[in-house]
């Protein structure tokens, strides 16, 4: 398939580099998910109130929920709450709650379970930050949806989230090891806790970012690739 293709497209920059290194051919990069552009989002930040962090995903290994829980453990001197949304087995839920008890932060962990898409969007507009701890993804829909709903993101600099998030709309942590991630993510959130104006700027920048990652923009990029193939310029 690669030998006969007039164009090769990778979903993430990591995949793009690996394909280029292996096949020694130019590879386009277009994330496989896109943003919905919402110009006006009813969102506000209150400097005096608790900082609400949102975590969304399955409670499985690759999502690394334990990192998020331990981050809150590092921030228990602050008024922060972690809202966790997503399905898991009874043992996974028990493990999450046990870790929270061990860290003394049960009162700072709010597990919502599986919620509807509309509820997630509402929570995105009510929360201050998306804490996305996953280490294995394509381009995660939840990160795109957070950006569309003007919610800044803290995540690892890897996979599709690393391509979508820049310092105008969030903070990326190098992918190293769990202990280092906990330290760097907690330090990042602590700084944002004391600088809510930076959060506001990031939230306001999400509109422009959603336009850059919109489905319309991706359609135009694909059309250009098709046109180059038809012209024979790719070969």
């Amino acid at each position: 398939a690669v030998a006969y293709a007039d164009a090769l497209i990778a979903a993430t920059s990591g995949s793009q580099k690996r394909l280029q290194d292996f096949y020694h051919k130019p590879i386009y990069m277009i994330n496989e998910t896109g943003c919905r552009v919402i110009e006006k989002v009813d969102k506000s930040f209150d400097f005096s109130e608790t900082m609400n962090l949102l975590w969304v995903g399955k409670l499985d290994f690759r999502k690394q929920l334990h990192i998020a829980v331990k981050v809150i453990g590092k921030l228990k001197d602050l008024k922060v709450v972690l809202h966790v949304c997503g399905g898991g087995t009874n043992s996974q839920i028990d493990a999450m709650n046990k870790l929270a008890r061990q860290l003394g932060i049960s009162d700072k962990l709010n597990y919502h379970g599986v919620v509807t898409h509309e509820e997630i969007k509402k929570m995105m507009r009510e929360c201050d930050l998306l804490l996305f701890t996953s280490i294995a993804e394509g381009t995660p829909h939840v990160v795109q949806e957070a950006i569309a709903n003007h919610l800044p993101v803290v995540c690892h600099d890897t996979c599709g989230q690393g391509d979508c998030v820049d310092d105008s709309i969030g903070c990326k942590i190098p992918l190293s090891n769990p202990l280092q991630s906990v330290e760097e993510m907690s330090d990042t959130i602590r700084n944002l806790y004391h600088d809510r104006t930076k959060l506001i700027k990031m939230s306001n920048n999400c509109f422009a970012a959603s336009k850059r990652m919109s489905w319309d923009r991706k359609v135009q990029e694909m059309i250009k690739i098709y046109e180059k193939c038809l012209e024979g310029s790719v070969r």
Side-chain angles (χ1 to χ4, degrees):
V2 171
Y4 282 96
D6 289 317
L8 299 174
I9 306 168
T12 67
S13 58
S15 298
Q16 180 188 38
K17 184 178 186 307
R18 290 179 180 88
L19 288 168
Q20 287 175 335
D21 290 346
F22 190 83
Y23 291 110
H24 306 291
K25 298 177 72 170
I27 313 288
Y28 295 96
M29 199 283 282
I30 302 178
N31 296 120
E32 79 280 15
T33 62
C35 257
R36 179 174 297 185
V37 179
I38 307 172
E39 185 167 359
K40 293 182 179 180
V41 173
D42 183 16
K43 187 169 184 60
S44 61
F45 295 90
D46 191 330
F47 292 7
S48 65
E49 292 297 319
T50 297
M51 176 182 276
N52 289 284
L53 309 179
L54 180 62
W55 188 98
V56 182
K58 297 177 182 177
L59 275 61
D60 61 20
F61 175 79
R62 68 189 177 93
K63 298 292 186 177
Q64 297 285 290
L65 173 59
H66 67 98
I67 290 178
V69 176
K70 289 179 179 179
V71 165
I72 301 303
K74 290 282 186 179
L75 302 172
K76 60 184 175 182
D77 58 308
L78 305 178
K79 292 170 63 178
V80 296
V81 172
L82 178 66
H83 298 273
V84 175
C85 298
T89 64
N90 289 335
S91 62
Q92 289 170 332
I93 296 170
D94 289 344
M96 172 189 66
N97 289 326
K98 180 181 179 181
L99 179 58
R101 287 194 301 272
Q102 290 173 342
L103 296 173
I105 57 163
S106 295
D107 60 328
K108 295 179 177 290
L109 177 64
N110 192 347
Y111 178 56
H112 299 267
V114 177
V115 302
T116 66
H117 188 223
E118 288 303 313
E119 288 176 298
I120 285 291
K121 290 193 293 183
K122 182 174 182 291
M123 292 180 71
M124 285 178 170
R125 297 181 184 195
E126 293 174 346
C127 288
D128 301 299
L129 196 65
L130 178 72
L131 179 54
F132 191 75
T133 52
S134 181
I135 57 172
E137 296 283 342
T139 304
H141 294 284
V142 67
V143 170
Q144 297 271 15
E145 289 177 340
I147 295 167
N149 286 281
H150 299 196
L151 179 64
V153 181
V154 170
C155 65
H156 287 113
D157 188 8
T158 188
C159 308
Q161 63 266 35
D163 297 323
C164 298
V165 177
D166 59 26
D167 59 9
S168 71
I169 58 172
C171 302
K172 294 187 291 189
I173 306 302
L175 188 63
S176 54
N177 62 74
L179 290 176
Q180 189 69 20
S181 291
V182 170
E183 290 294 332
E184 294 192 24
M185 285 184 169
S186 60
D187 287 345
T188 296
I189 295 170
R190 184 177 294 275
N191 290 336
L192 292 172
Y193 181 91
H194 293 295
D195 186 4
R196 305 286 179 99
T197 54
K198 187 173 182 179
L199 272 179
I200 294 173
K201 290 178 182 177
M202 288 178 172
S203 178
N204 292 337
N205 289 335
C206 283
F207 174 63
S210 68
K211 290 176 69 175
R212 291 195 302 270
M213 293 178 277
S214 70
W215 286 111
D216 286 344
R217 178 68 66 87
K218 293 176 189 293
V219 167
Q220 294 303 317
E221 291 174 358
M222 283 299 302
I223 288 172
K224 289 178 182 178
I225 294 172
Y226 275 114
E227 289 174 343
K228 286 184 178 181
C229 291
L230 291 171
E231 295 167 0
S233 61
V234 174
R235 283 191 182 278

